[in-house]
Amino acid sequence: MTDSTFTPRVFSGIKPSGGLTLGNYLGAIKRWVDMQDGETETIYCAVDLHAITVWQDPAGLKAGTREIAAGMLASGIDPEKSILFNQSQVPEHTQLAWIFNCVARLGWMNRMTQFKDKAGKNAEKASLGLYAYPSLMAADILLYHATHVPVGEDQKQHVELTRDIANKFNNDFGVDFFPVTEPVIEGPGTRVMNLRDGTKKMSKSGESDMERINMLDDADTIAKKFKKAKTDPDGIPETFDGLNGRPEAKNLVDIYSGLADISAEAVVAEYAGAGWGKFKPALADLAVAKLAPISDEMKRLMDDPAEIDRKLARGAERAREIATPILDKTYDIVGLLR
Ligand code: AQP
């Protein structure tokens, strides 16, 4: 089966497990804003149930969920054009996830690299939720029959698992009910790396604050973080190929490219031969110019949490209008009496 029989629909989410980072912005939100202006229906979600797969302080979780919503709104997600809500207000996500827990195979889950990275050597002590995370993610997507999921490179494996679950469900029950969703991984910001180690991705919950740019960082902090970002003795090379094998240098060029909306090749051409003393301040200035209006608007929105809550509740109502009939039909297919 192909997804061509399904009306195109986009779903994506961000988990409130910390403050929004430049990785979330370039890898996800910025691209979501572009997608909402086409013909396709777009659904965006603060996936709070994913956040609690690792410990979250309850007050921090609520604040973080509002921050994610504020970040999406401030970046240009329009709740009139897109459906914007937080996952836990639509209980159908967890209901479908249980069914998918019974479809997904242990062998598939055992291959998930994100679980291995996050659980580390302490896998025995990880929550069952962290292990089952990809099954809930499949439910998030398939509950809306989403055909396209814009994500960063790090989520590719989970979207592939979503496809496996859709295929197995359809085969097991002899139906063409769930679409086989396509990941949309494109553009320069699909993998923003840690500023202190260019082989690791930039994460909200990474150990040191110096390894990431937070969307709420002020101009001085952004400048300081780029100044201290790890690099090598060579500056910007004469040609793009000169970045090969230099993950930290490549990362800074990629970030510039994502923020400026130009190709990484064009960035190298513009700064060919420049040292870091020239490039890093230019990058910091660009980041501040792009991020400051967003962070100012985020702060303004976060001063009125009741208004954010109203927007999320309204989004959840609209989401349920799509989700409820799809879950009902799933129950019928599976043979659950209702
Ligand atoms: N460094 C990144 N580069 C590009 N895209 C990224 N995304 C996250 N980090 C980067 C994309 O942002 C979306 C939401 O991700 P998420 O917050 O739900 O989960 P995550 O990928 O696990 O994010 P973090 O920051 O690494 O969270 P923690 O530290 O809490 O685990 C996704 O589309 C993701 O690809």
Side-chain angles (χ1 to χ4, degrees):
M1 178 175 112
T2 69
D3 62 4
S4 59
T5 51
F6 291 86
T7 311
R9 188 179 277 154
V10 165
F11 175 93
S12 205
I14 297 189
K15 63 181 187 310
S17 48
L20 277 178
T21 70
L22 183 62
N24 297 132
Y25 176 67
L26 291 179
I29 301 176
K30 185 168 181 287
R31 297 157 59 221
W32 299 358
V33 174
D34 296 339
M35 291 179 127
Q36 78 179 348
D37 289 324
E39 293 287 291
T40 309
E41 188 169 22
T42 45
I43 305 175
Y44 300 127
C45 188
V47 284
D48 44 8
L49 295 168
H50 285 280
I52 61 167
T53 55
V54 299
W55 169 251
Q56 302 295 332
D57 162 68
L61 180 60
K62 277 192 183 157
T65 303
R66 292 186 182 118
E67 182 183 327
I68 300 276
M72 292 188 205
L73 292 164
S75 303
I77 300 292
D78 177 347
E80 296 303 317
K81 291 185 187 163
S82 296
I83 297 179
L84 171 64
F85 67 106
N86 62 305
Q87 184 188 27
S88 59
Q89 292 206 67
V90 180
E92 286 81 1
H93 285 248
T94 39
Q95 289 174 278
L96 186 60
W98 180 258
I99 292 176
F100 288 167
N101 281 346
C102 302
V103 173
R105 304 290 94 182
L106 280 181
W108 302 354
M109 305 308 262
N110 287 338
R111 284 194 288 276
M112 295 297 111
T113 53
Q114 192 181 79
F115 176 78
K116 289 180 199 160
D117 292 346
K118 292 216 152 124
K121 293 195 187 90
N122 253 339
E124 291 282 314
K125 295 209 165 135
S127 72
L128 183 55
L130 188 66
Y131 187 72
Y133 180 122
S135 169
L136 177 59
M137 179 164 156
D140 300 334
I141 296 166
L142 296 174
L143 186 57
Y144 302 96
H145 278 185
T147 54
H148 295 85
V149 185
V151 281
E153 185 71 40
D154 58 312
Q155 291 294 338
K156 189 170 176 221
Q157 196 184 32
H158 290 164
V159 182
E160 277 161 7
L161 188 106
T162 300
R163 293 163 63 87
D164 290 341
I165 289 177
N167 273 324
K168 182 158 165 41
F169 182 98
N170 288 340
N171 285 336
D172 285 353
F173 294 100
V175 291
D176 268 357
F177 186 60
F178 286 116
V180 181
T181 307
E182 293 289 338
V184 184
I185 303 171
E186 51 195 33
T190 53
R191 197 158 171 76
V192 178
M193 308 309 281
N194 179 320
L195 297 180
R196 306 316 284 277
D197 177 350
T199 63
K200 292 191 190 147
K201 79 162 186 159
M202 183 182 287
S203 271
K204 296 185 213 85
S205 56
E207 257 165 48
S208 158
D209 196 56
M210 291 301 287
E211 65 192 45
R212 62 180 163 264
I213 303 288
N214 303 301
M215 294 301 286
L216 288 174
D217 281 344
D218 61 26
D220 288 348
T221 308
I222 291 176
K224 187 170 91 192
K225 286 180 176 176
F226 279 127
K227 188 167 178 214
K228 296 209 178 263
K230 186 177 168 197
T231 39
D232 51 31
D234 303 329
I236 303 294
E238 295 295 335
T239 64
F240 183 69
D241 289 349
L243 291 173
N244 287 344
R246 300 172 59 199
E248 286 85 11
K250 181 164 184 314
N251 187 37
L252 295 187
V253 169
D254 281 344
I255 291 174
Y256 193 108
S257 142
L259 286 168
D261 266 325
I262 56 174
S263 69
E265 286 83 350
V267 179
V268 171
E270 190 178 336
Y271 286 93
W276 296 115
K278 178 172 176 197
F279 186 76
K280 283 180 167 181
L283 175 59
D285 287 348
L286 173 65
V288 170
K290 296 284 177 178
L291 301 184
I294 299 176
S295 65
D296 289 349
E297 177 63 4
M298 278 177 78
K299 286 178 205 145
R300 194 189 68 76
L301 291 165
M302 284 157 66
D303 275 346
D304 188 358
E307 179 56 21
I308 296 180
D309 294 359
R310 268 192 294 278
K311 287 197 164 85
L312 291 175
R314 172 72 192 120
E317 271 173 31
R318 291 173 63 201
R320 288 191 89 178
E321 282 166 18
I322 303 173
T324 307
I326 291 179
L327 184 74
D328 285 352
K329 180 77 178 141
T330 310
Y331 272 36
D332 290 343
I333 292 169
V334 172
L336 299 167
L337 271 181
R338 57 182 183 90

